[in-house]
Amino acid sequence: MNPNCARCGKIVYPTEKVNCLDKFWHKACFHCETCKMTLNMKNYKGYEKKPYCNAHYPKQSFTMVADTPENLRLKQQSELQSQVRYKEEFEKNKGKGFSVVADTPELQRIKKTQDQISNIKYHEEFEKSRMGPTGGEGMEPERRDSQDSSSYRRPLEQQQPHHVPTSAPVYQQPQQQPMAQSYGGYKEPAAPVSVQRSAPGGGGKRYRAVYDYSAADEDEVSFQDGDTIVNVQQIDDGWMYGTVERTGDTGMLPANYVEAI
């Protein structure tokens, strides 16, 4: 039994039958709903089981929804659920979000530089801790070294007799001075009283200065980088006693400022 056409309702015979959109059509009846252009199986577009051409194919349009109290409640609930899920994911992944970085030559060079800086700082801290407590921050290294040396120089002076060795000069330290003489309104300063400092005797080791050093006390000597220190005697791990060959001054000097020749 032959079916009826979906547009005109007449019988559709096999020679002119078009089976499309779940319906049967005459070839002449299978045209666009808007412009009546005859269509075929290659150029038609179906919408709600009706044929349309490409130009008149209905476009879907979105309708605006009013912000009713119910819609606002659903929107707020969706936002809360999103925040809760975000916090849960954050807590799960906290501490696990490490990204793998490739060991490029540049990163390897930076890592090696950081290791070298870390080793240098470690050795500096080790030398400071070995030499004892330091002074306040912001002080010069020479001043801190002189304060550190006061903890052992005083016991050393108390234990050793006060005598002048053959190789050590006599140092002077201002003590309680007598009244200065005045001549016609001009006062002549009184000469300071000489005080003898003890020093270890003997020796003959030679050292070379690797840094400049300025004496922080009257029983120390100043020297420059490259100066030769002779007749050096080791007092302890931090200080020595010797004579600067260039100036002829004799006294105490820090051991970490010189090296053996």
Side-chain angles (χ1 to χ4, degrees):
M1 182 178 180
N2 295 324
N4 294 330
C5 178
R7 188 174 298 279
C8 65
K10 297 180 180 179
I11 297 175
V12 180
Y13 293 99
T15 57
E16 56 180 0
K17 182 174 63 175
V18 176
N19 185 6
C20 185
L21 300 176
D22 297 334
K23 297 178 182 180
F24 296 97
W25 312 77
H26 291 106
K27 290 183 180 180
C29 294
F30 190 66
H31 56 72
C32 177
E33 293 287 332
T34 304
C35 64
K36 309 301 181 182
M37 183 182 72
T38 303
L39 303 173
N40 53 41
M41 298 299 293
K42 295 182 179 180
N43 62 358
Y44 87 97
K45 287 189 175 183
Y47 182 77
E48 293 182 354
K49 295 187 177 182
K50 294 180 181 180
Y52 289 91
C53 65
N54 189 28
H56 297 95
Y57 180 75
K59 296 181 180 180
Q60 296 180 358
S61 59
F62 299 96
T63 58
M64 297 182 63
V65 179
D67 288 336
T68 61
E70 181 65 17
N71 290 336
L72 293 175
R73 185 186 66 80
L74 294 175
K75 180 180 179 181
Q76 185 178 6
Q77 185 176 0
S78 300
E79 292 177 353
L80 292 175
Q81 291 177 353
S82 176
Q83 292 178 0
V84 170
R85 184 174 299 176
Y86 170 76
K87 290 181 179 179
E88 290 178 355
E89 294 294 333
F90 176 76
E91 292 295 332
K92 289 180 181 178
N93 298 327
K94 185 167 63 175
K96 300 179 181 179
F98 296 103
S99 59
V100 179
V101 181
D103 285 340
T104 61
E106 182 66 16
L107 291 178
Q108 291 179 358
R109 184 186 64 81
I110 294 174
K111 182 179 179 181
K112 185 176 181 181
T113 303
Q114 291 177 349
D115 293 340
Q116 292 177 353
I117 294 175
S118 177
N119 291 334
I120 292 173
K121 289 184 178 180
Y122 170 77
H123 287 297
E124 289 179 355
E125 295 295 334
F126 176 76
E127 291 295 335
K128 290 180 181 179
S129 62
R130 190 180 67 173
M131 293 181 64
T134 59
E137 295 184 357
M139 299 177 64
E140 298 180 355
E142 295 85 355
R143 185 65 60 183
R144 290 200 298 266
D145 292 340
S146 64
Q147 291 184 359
D148 296 339
S149 63
S150 62
S151 60
Y152 64 84
R153 285 210 300 268
R154 293 192 184 93
L156 182 63
E157 294 171 359
Q158 294 175 2
Q159 294 174 5
Q160 296 179 353
H162 290 272
H163 66 278
V164 180
T166 57
S167 61
V170 177
Y171 296 93
Q172 296 180 353
Q173 180 180 7
Q175 299 292 336
Q176 187 174 1
Q177 300 178 357
M179 297 296 294
Q181 298 179 1
S182 61
Y183 300 94
Y186 171 76
K187 294 184 178 181
E188 181 180 359
V193 180
S194 62
V195 178
Q196 299 176 352
R197 289 295 183 100
S198 61
K205 295 182 180 180
R206 295 170 61 87
Y207 283 75
R208 180 174 61 252
V210 293
Y211 304 104
D212 294 344
Y213 179 73
S214 298
D217 205 347
E218 64 273 6
D219 58 352
E220 298 177 5
V221 291
S222 301
F223 50 83
Q224 298 179 358
D225 183 10
D227 285 349
T228 302
I229 316 298
V230 298
N231 298 328
V232 177
Q233 292 294 320
Q234 186 77 28
I235 297 177
D236 59 9
D237 292 340
W239 287 86
M240 296 180 173
Y241 192 92
T243 302
V244 181
E245 191 175 43
R246 179 176 58 85
T247 60
D249 296 337
T250 303
M252 299 178 63
L253 58 140
N256 57 348
Y257 278 67
V258 297
E259 63 180 3
I261 299 178

